Amino acid sequence: MQVTTEDSGEITVTGNSCKRGEKFARQELTDPRRTICSTVATAFRDVPVVPCRVSAEIPKDMIFPVMKEINRARVTKRIGRGEIIIPNVLGIGADIICTSDILKSGEEN
């Protein structure tokens, strides 16, 4: 795939084998987005951290600010897969969600 940007700002994509490739190339040039998977600390000795991820792709330049929020967070109740840990993190339209049921199966402190 080859992407060319004209002085006028027009983007030309060639060599892609599907429309998704063209869409990806255009977005990567104009609004690159990424996903994050990480862990969040908990208040439970039996499960000190729980895996999490963002619920949607986020702007690439927000990765480090979002990671700071994830690192500040602490889960204090037993939650399961898909439950929200941080709603609408930094107002960017994505939640930080739990990706495991490990806390649901653990013992209370």
Side-chain angles (χ1 to χ4, degrees):
M1 181 171 11
Q2 186 170 8
V3 181
T4 309
T5 304
E6 302 297 325
D7 291 337
S8 65
E10 183 179 340
I11 299 169
T12 305
V13 180
T14 58
N16 55 301
S17 58
C18 66
K19 286 285 185 188
R20 285 180 57 193
E22 180 178 351
K23 180 180 176 186
F24 172 79
R26 289 179 185 280
Q27 182 168 2
E28 191 64 16
L29 283 176
T30 60
D31 182 24
R33 294 186 165 261
R34 300 292 185 268
T35 188
I36 295 175
C37 296
S38 189
T39 56
V40 174
T42 78
F44 305 99
R45 286 189 303 256
D46 60 320
V47 183
V49 296
V50 66
C52 67
R53 68 173 174 84
V54 290
S55 61
E57 290 184 335
I58 63 170
K60 186 178 175 183
D61 64 349
M62 292 301 292
I63 291 172
F64 290 110
V66 168
M67 280 305 303
K68 281 185 182 179
E69 293 301 307
I70 290 171
N71 290 334
R72 284 186 208 164
R74 187 168 187 241
V75 175
T76 59
K77 67 177 188 169
R78 294 210 177 251
I79 61 173
R81 179 177 294 134
E83 291 188 59
I84 296 172
I85 298 170
I86 306 172
N88 193 21
V89 64
L90 298 173
I92 60 173
D95 302 323
I96 304 302
I97 60 172
C98 181
T99 60
S100 172
D101 286 326
I102 193 167
L103 275 178
K104 290 243 176 175
S105 61
E107 298 175 14
E108 291 293 329
N109 273 349

